[in-house]
Amino acid sequence: MNPAGLPDPAIPDPARAPWLIKGVTVTRSGGQREEFTDILLSDGVIAAIGPGLSNPGAHVLDAQGLIALPGLVDLHTHLREPGREDAETVETGTRAAALGGYTAVHAMANTDPVADTAGVVEQVWRLGRAAGHCDVQPVGAVTVGLAGSRLAELGTMADSAARVRVFSDDGNCVADPLLMRRALEYVKAFDGVIAQHAQEPRLTEGAQLNEGEMSSRLGLAGWPAVAEEAIIARDCLLAAHVGSALHVCHVSTAGSVEIIRWAKSKGWRVTAEVTPHHLLLTDELAAGYDPVFKVNPPLRTAADVAELRRALADGTIDCVATDHAPHPVEAKETEWSEAAFGMTGLETALRVVQLAMVDTGMLDWCGVADRMSVRPARIGRLAGHGALPAVGGPANLTLYDPAASAEVVGPGASKSRNTPFAGMELPGRVVATFLRGAPTVLDGKLA
Ligand SMILES: [Zn+2]
């Protein structure tokens, strides 16, 4: 500040001044990969890409060894606000998102009150804008109160300031086939999509863990794969019948993959996501009855994990979505059967994907950009996100160091700490995140 209290023009305003990222590796729109190149961010867009750039007024970030990815987009985040601010708020959840390299998240509707009206989705959308760490795109409920009996006002949510395009009763399955059909028909008018939490309720009453060898050994009520697969098969057929778009949340079984592959081969409008935890963890982790491994859908077998990885690699599963599900300590640190379902995931997702997919040779970084940014943005009908770096494109970027490695230690930025990865050595580090040209994360910390 100069004596008059005005910003000194020689000191760039971090929010407004250009940023010059030097020596980064980038996969550009069109697919060509460039190493040791520079990226200039100015006025919210990528102003230039190429070696040897300079800009006297810009902040300079030495990015040697780092990869520039388009800002990550999560299709499946539980931010818990309104109603469960003891578990997470829009502020804390979006901080966690930014630290994980995300520039946009879709906030699930199972809040209290439920996001089933224009009023609630607009409230969540405004809270996201006020927090400013990443864009928050509300998901609207399919049925009133997630109760599964009456369609919510999908059209008014679509027309609201939040411009909702993804609808889901996530946490609950839209089990009634007629309601599911009506919902799929309704959203066609505005190119919406129904995101189904595929869980046949009668087949999963009291279910605790994947039905199989582990559930019998541990004496926990089994959660059969068919409870997921039956709903996915039904909904693929319904989507085809009415010509609408279905998105399948958190696919967890090899059989589900087979059904989705078949539906896609028919040209039906079906997309799917997998969580980082289902790409890495198996039901054997439940052996110690630690509820940190209790999640919906449950962790499955090593054979399922292998098939989920193959499906993400070949594109049958379109994207990675975190299903970040924060819970307060008292809801998780209790007996297995009493504990809440869910794991946090925003801060570790990219690192888990590196371990499961990149370090195993199944996906390159261009593939990661596609599965964690390009495709989720497309499925979520999200403008301004999910574009590979291109001159004139949005300056939403994640700078990532794949050579780093560290143990996951808490607490992170999330208000909850129910991460199954605590104490685990994971590769990689999110070094910086830029949202419309302004840093939300620098040197691995909130900017
Ligand atoms: Zn779910």
mmCIF file of all heavy atoms in Angstrom, residues 255-280:
data_model
loop_
_atom_site.group_PDB
_atom_site.id
_atom_site.type_symbol
_atom_site.label_atom_id
_atom_site.label_comp_id
_atom_site.label_asym_id
_atom_site.label_seq_id
_atom_site.Cartn_x
_atom_site.Cartn_y
_atom_site.Cartn_z
ATOM 1 N N GLY A 255 -20.400 -56.822 -12.612
ATOM 2 C CA GLY A 255 -21.644 -57.045 -13.345
ATOM 3 C C GLY A 255 -22.273 -55.746 -13.820
ATOM 4 O O GLY A 255 -22.836 -55.674 -14.928
ATOM 5 N N SER A 256 -22.191 -54.693 -13.012
ATOM 6 C CA SER A 256 -22.716 -53.380 -13.418
ATOM 7 C C SER A 256 -21.980 -52.874 -14.656
ATOM 8 O O SER A 256 -22.587 -52.323 -15.578
ATOM 9 C CB SER A 256 -22.553 -52.356 -12.283
ATOM 10 O OG SER A 256 -23.278 -52.753 -11.138
ATOM 11 N N VAL A 257 -20.673 -53.086 -14.663
ATOM 12 C CA VAL A 257 -19.863 -52.657 -15.811
ATOM 13 C C VAL A 257 -20.347 -53.339 -17.079
ATOM 14 O O VAL A 257 -20.500 -52.705 -18.132
ATOM 15 C CB VAL A 257 -18.370 -52.964 -15.570
ATOM 16 C CG1 VAL A 257 -17.573 -52.796 -16.857
ATOM 17 C CG2 VAL A 257 -17.803 -52.081 -14.466
ATOM 18 N N GLU A 258 -20.620 -54.636 -16.969
ATOM 19 C CA GLU A 258 -21.061 -55.404 -18.135
ATOM 20 C C GLU A 258 -22.373 -54.850 -18.693
ATOM 21 O O GLU A 258 -22.558 -54.726 -19.906
ATOM 22 C CB GLU A 258 -21.231 -56.864 -17.708
ATOM 23 C CG GLU A 258 -21.050 -57.851 -18.812
ATOM 24 C CD GLU A 258 -21.155 -59.293 -18.308
ATOM 25 O OE1 GLU A 258 -20.921 -59.549 -17.105
ATOM 26 O OE2 GLU A 258 -21.492 -60.146 -19.143
ATOM 27 N N ILE A 259 -23.289 -54.500 -17.790
ATOM 28 C CA ILE A 259 -24.591 -53.967 -18.219
ATOM 29 C C ILE A 259 -24.406 -52.604 -18.896
ATOM 30 O O ILE A 259 -24.998 -52.320 -19.942
ATOM 31 C CB ILE A 259 -25.547 -53.861 -17.009
ATOM 32 C CG1 ILE A 259 -25.847 -55.256 -16.458
ATOM 33 C CG2 ILE A 259 -26.837 -53.136 -17.398
ATOM 34 C CD1 ILE A 259 -26.414 -55.255 -15.050
ATOM 35 N N ILE A 260 -23.565 -51.760 -18.304
ATOM 36 C CA ILE A 260 -23.344 -50.423 -18.869
ATOM 37 C C ILE A 260 -22.647 -50.529 -20.234
ATOM 38 O O ILE A 260 -22.995 -49.806 -21.180
ATOM 39 C CB ILE A 260 -22.539 -49.547 -17.869
ATOM 40 C CG1 ILE A 260 -23.408 -49.260 -16.637
ATOM 41 C CG2 ILE A 260 -22.077 -48.246 -18.520
ATOM 42 C CD1 ILE A 260 -22.631 -48.813 -15.427
ATOM 43 N N ARG A 261 -21.727 -51.459 -20.328
ATOM 44 C CA ARG A 261 -21.032 -51.659 -21.609
ATOM 45 C C ARG A 261 -22.045 -52.066 -22.688
ATOM 46 O O ARG A 261 -22.011 -51.567 -23.820
ATOM 47 C CB ARG A 261 -19.949 -52.728 -21.434
ATOM 48 C CG ARG A 261 -19.005 -52.846 -22.612
ATOM 49 C CD ARG A 261 -17.852 -53.787 -22.314
ATOM 50 N NE ARG A 261 -16.815 -53.146 -21.509
ATOM 51 C CZ ARG A 261 -16.189 -53.703 -20.475
ATOM 52 N NH1 ARG A 261 -16.511 -54.929 -20.101
ATOM 53 N NH2 ARG A 261 -15.261 -53.058 -19.811
ATOM 54 N N TRP A 262 -22.955 -52.944 -22.324
ATOM 55 C CA TRP A 262 -24.003 -53.391 -23.252
ATOM 56 C C TRP A 262 -24.914 -52.217 -23.636
ATOM 57 O O TRP A 262 -25.197 -52.004 -24.822
ATOM 58 C CB TRP A 262 -24.796 -54.516 -22.572
ATOM 59 C CG TRP A 262 -26.081 -54.878 -23.237
ATOM 60 C CD1 TRP A 262 -26.245 -55.589 -24.394
ATOM 61 C CD2 TRP A 262 -27.397 -54.552 -22.781
ATOM 62 N NE1 TRP A 262 -27.586 -55.722 -24.670
ATOM 63 C CE2 TRP A 262 -28.310 -55.102 -23.704
ATOM 64 C CE3 TRP A 262 -27.888 -53.853 -21.666
ATOM 65 C CZ2 TRP A 262 -29.685 -54.959 -23.556
ATOM 66 C CZ3 TRP A 262 -29.253 -53.725 -21.517
ATOM 67 C CH2 TRP A 262 -30.136 -54.265 -22.454
ATOM 68 N N ALA A 263 -25.330 -51.427 -22.654
ATOM 69 C CA ALA A 263 -26.214 -50.285 -22.936
ATOM 70 C C ALA A 263 -25.524 -49.292 -23.866
ATOM 71 O O ALA A 263 -26.135 -48.757 -24.803
ATOM 72 C CB ALA A 263 -26.622 -49.609 -21.629
ATOM 73 N N LYS A 264 -24.238 -49.056 -23.630
ATOM 74 C CA LYS A 264 -23.508 -48.109 -24.492
ATOM 75 C C LYS A 264 -23.359 -48.660 -25.907
ATOM 76 O O LYS A 264 -23.384 -47.896 -26.876
ATOM 77 C CB LYS A 264 -22.137 -47.811 -23.890
ATOM 78 C CG LYS A 264 -22.212 -46.889 -22.683
ATOM 79 C CD LYS A 264 -20.844 -46.392 -22.278
ATOM 80 C CE LYS A 264 -20.996 -45.201 -21.340
ATOM 81 N NZ LYS A 264 -19.736 -44.532 -21.071
ATOM 82 N N SER A 265 -23.204 -49.970 -26.005
ATOM 83 C CA SER A 265 -23.039 -50.578 -27.338
ATOM 84 C C SER A 265 -24.305 -50.403 -28.177
ATOM 85 O O SER A 265 -24.266 -50.444 -29.400
ATOM 86 C CB SER A 265 -22.684 -52.058 -27.218
ATOM 87 O OG SER A 265 -23.836 -52.818 -26.885
ATOM 88 N N LYS A 266 -25.430 -50.187 -27.503
ATOM 89 C CA LYS A 266 -26.694 -49.949 -28.203
ATOM 90 C C LYS A 266 -26.846 -48.473 -28.606
ATOM 91 O O LYS A 266 -27.831 -48.108 -29.242
ATOM 92 C CB LYS A 266 -27.871 -50.295 -27.280
ATOM 93 C CG LYS A 266 -27.907 -51.729 -26.818
ATOM 94 C CD LYS A 266 -28.611 -52.563 -27.852
ATOM 95 C CE LYS A 266 -29.087 -53.870 -27.271
ATOM 96 N NZ LYS A 266 -29.667 -54.708 -28.334
ATOM 97 N N GLY A 267 -25.921 -47.641 -28.126
ATOM 98 C CA GLY A 267 -26.018 -46.214 -28.422
ATOM 99 C C GLY A 267 -26.944 -45.467 -27.482
ATOM 100 O O GLY A 267 -27.335 -44.329 -27.749
ATOM 101 N N TRP A 268 -27.308 -46.089 -26.365
ATOM 102 C CA TRP A 268 -28.205 -45.435 -25.414
ATOM 103 C C TRP A 268 -27.458 -44.363 -24.628
ATOM 104 O O TRP A 268 -26.243 -44.413 -24.473
ATOM 105 C CB TRP A 268 -28.806 -46.485 -24.462
ATOM 106 C CG TRP A 268 -29.637 -47.512 -25.180
ATOM 107 C CD1 TRP A 268 -30.101 -47.460 -26.467
ATOM 108 C CD2 TRP A 268 -30.056 -48.776 -24.659
ATOM 109 N NE1 TRP A 268 -30.809 -48.596 -26.767
ATOM 110 C CE2 TRP A 268 -30.802 -49.430 -25.689
ATOM 111 C CE3 TRP A 268 -29.893 -49.431 -23.424
ATOM 112 C CZ2 TRP A 268 -31.368 -50.690 -25.502
ATOM 113 C CZ3 TRP A 268 -30.465 -50.687 -23.254
ATOM 114 C CH2 TRP A 268 -31.195 -51.305 -24.277
ATOM 115 N N ARG A 269 -28.211 -43.401 -24.141
ATOM 116 C CA ARG A 269 -27.600 -42.261 -23.451
ATOM 117 C C ARG A 269 -27.369 -42.593 -21.978
ATOM 118 O O ARG A 269 -28.059 -42.110 -21.089
ATOM 119 C CB ARG A 269 -28.481 -41.023 -23.612
ATOM 120 C CG ARG A 269 -28.619 -40.601 -25.077
ATOM 121 C CD ARG A 269 -29.630 -39.492 -25.233
ATOM 122 N NE ARG A 269 -29.203 -38.280 -24.570
ATOM 123 C CZ ARG A 269 -30.024 -37.308 -24.183
ATOM 124 N NH1 ARG A 269 -31.315 -37.416 -24.393
ATOM 125 N NH2 ARG A 269 -29.551 -36.243 -23.599
ATOM 126 N N VAL A 270 -26.367 -43.421 -21.748
ATOM 127 C CA VAL A 270 -26.039 -43.863 -20.394
ATOM 128 C C VAL A 270 -24.591 -43.490 -20.097
ATOM 129 O O VAL A 270 -23.702 -43.764 -20.906
ATOM 130 C CB VAL A 270 -26.232 -45.387 -20.261
ATOM 131 C CG1 VAL A 270 -25.766 -45.871 -18.899
ATOM 132 C CG2 VAL A 270 -27.688 -45.766 -20.506
ATOM 133 N N THR A 271 -24.370 -42.855 -18.959
ATOM 134 C CA THR A 271 -23.011 -42.549 -18.496
ATOM 135 C C THR A 271 -22.866 -43.087 -17.076
ATOM 136 O O THR A 271 -23.865 -43.414 -16.427
ATOM 137 C CB THR A 271 -22.731 -41.029 -18.503
ATOM 138 O OG1 THR A 271 -23.735 -40.376 -17.717
ATOM 139 C CG2 THR A 271 -22.745 -40.458 -19.924
ATOM 140 N N ALA A 272 -21.618 -43.171 -16.609
ATOM 141 C CA ALA A 272 -21.392 -43.770 -15.295
ATOM 142 C C ALA A 272 -20.143 -43.209 -14.637
ATOM 143 O O ALA A 272 -19.240 -42.716 -15.306
ATOM 144 C CB ALA A 272 -21.254 -45.291 -15.436
ATOM 145 N N GLU A 273 -20.138 -43.306 -13.313
ATOM 146 C CA GLU A 273 -18.984 -42.842 -12.531
ATOM 147 C C GLU A 273 -18.505 -43.967 -11.610
ATOM 148 O O GLU A 273 -19.262 -44.897 -11.293
ATOM 149 C CB GLU A 273 -19.379 -41.633 -11.671
ATOM 150 C CG GLU A 273 -20.360 -42.017 -10.561
ATOM 151 C CD GLU A 273 -20.946 -40.844 -9.772
ATOM 152 O OE1 GLU A 273 -21.180 -39.764 -10.354
ATOM 153 O OE2 GLU A 273 -21.200 -41.044 -8.568
ATOM 154 N N VAL A 274 -17.251 -43.845 -11.172
ATOM 155 C CA VAL A 274 -16.702 -44.735 -10.148
ATOM 156 C C VAL A 274 -15.988 -43.856 -9.125
ATOM 157 O O VAL A 274 -15.453 -42.802 -9.471
ATOM 158 C CB VAL A 274 -15.746 -45.781 -10.780
ATOM 159 C CG1 VAL A 274 -14.555 -45.112 -11.463
ATOM 160 C CG2 VAL A 274 -15.278 -46.805 -9.754
ATOM 161 N N THR A 275 -15.996 -44.280 -7.877
ATOM 162 C CA THR A 275 -15.320 -43.487 -6.846
ATOM 163 C C THR A 275 -13.853 -43.903 -6.741
ATOM 164 O O THR A 275 -13.502 -45.037 -7.095
ATOM 165 C CB THR A 275 -15.959 -43.700 -5.460
ATOM 166 O OG1 THR A 275 -15.640 -45.020 -5.013
ATOM 167 C CG2 THR A 275 -17.469 -43.513 -5.493
ATOM 168 N N PRO A 276 -13.013 -43.026 -6.214
ATOM 169 C CA PRO A 276 -11.616 -43.423 -5.984
ATOM 170 C C PRO A 276 -11.529 -44.633 -5.048
ATOM 171 O O PRO A 276 -10.727 -45.541 -5.292
ATOM 172 C CB PRO A 276 -10.998 -42.182 -5.337
ATOM 173 C CG PRO A 276 -11.859 -41.039 -5.784
ATOM 174 C CD PRO A 276 -13.246 -41.600 -5.896
ATOM 175 N N HIS A 277 -12.380 -44.679 -4.015
ATOM 176 C CA HIS A 277 -12.240 -45.795 -3.062
ATOM 177 C C HIS A 277 -12.608 -47.134 -3.687
ATOM 178 O O HIS A 277 -12.005 -48.143 -3.365
ATOM 179 C CB HIS A 277 -13.002 -45.551 -1.756
ATOM 180 C CG HIS A 277 -14.390 -45.029 -1.865
ATOM 181 N ND1 HIS A 277 -14.698 -43.697 -1.946
ATOM 182 C CD2 HIS A 277 -15.583 -45.672 -1.905
ATOM 183 C CE1 HIS A 277 -16.001 -43.549 -2.028
ATOM 184 N NE2 HIS A 277 -16.571 -44.725 -1.999
ATOM 185 N N HIS A 278 -13.586 -47.132 -4.618
ATOM 186 C CA HIS A 278 -13.911 -48.405 -5.276
ATOM 187 C C HIS A 278 -12.842 -48.821 -6.294
ATOM 188 O O HIS A 278 -12.834 -49.966 -6.742
ATOM 189 C CB HIS A 278 -15.295 -48.332 -5.942
ATOM 190 C CG HIS A 278 -16.424 -48.345 -4.960
ATOM 191 N ND1 HIS A 278 -17.214 -47.241 -4.713
ATOM 192 C CD2 HIS A 278 -16.892 -49.318 -4.134
ATOM 193 C CE1 HIS A 278 -18.119 -47.546 -3.785
ATOM 194 N NE2 HIS A 278 -17.942 -48.793 -3.418
ATOM 195 N N LEU A 279 -11.944 -47.908 -6.643
ATOM 196 C CA LEU A 279 -10.835 -48.251 -7.546
ATOM 197 C C LEU A 279 -9.633 -48.818 -6.789
ATOM 198 O O LEU A 279 -8.669 -49.274 -7.394
ATOM 199 C CB LEU A 279 -10.366 -47.006 -8.312
ATOM 200 C CG LEU A 279 -11.274 -46.470 -9.408
ATOM 201 C CD1 LEU A 279 -10.751 -45.116 -9.907
ATOM 202 C CD2 LEU A 279 -11.390 -47.457 -10.566
ATOM 203 N N LEU A 280 -9.682 -48.736 -5.462
ATOM 204 C CA LEU A 280 -8.482 -49.102 -4.694
ATOM 205 C C LEU A 280 -8.744 -50.097 -3.562
ATOM 206 O O LEU A 280 -7.909 -50.951 -3.295
ATOM 207 C CB LEU A 280 -7.843 -47.830 -4.109
ATOM 208 C CG LEU A 280 -6.428 -47.984 -3.578
ATOM 209 C CD1 LEU A 280 -5.454 -48.302 -4.709
ATOM 210 C CD2 LEU A 280 -5.983 -46.725 -2.843
#
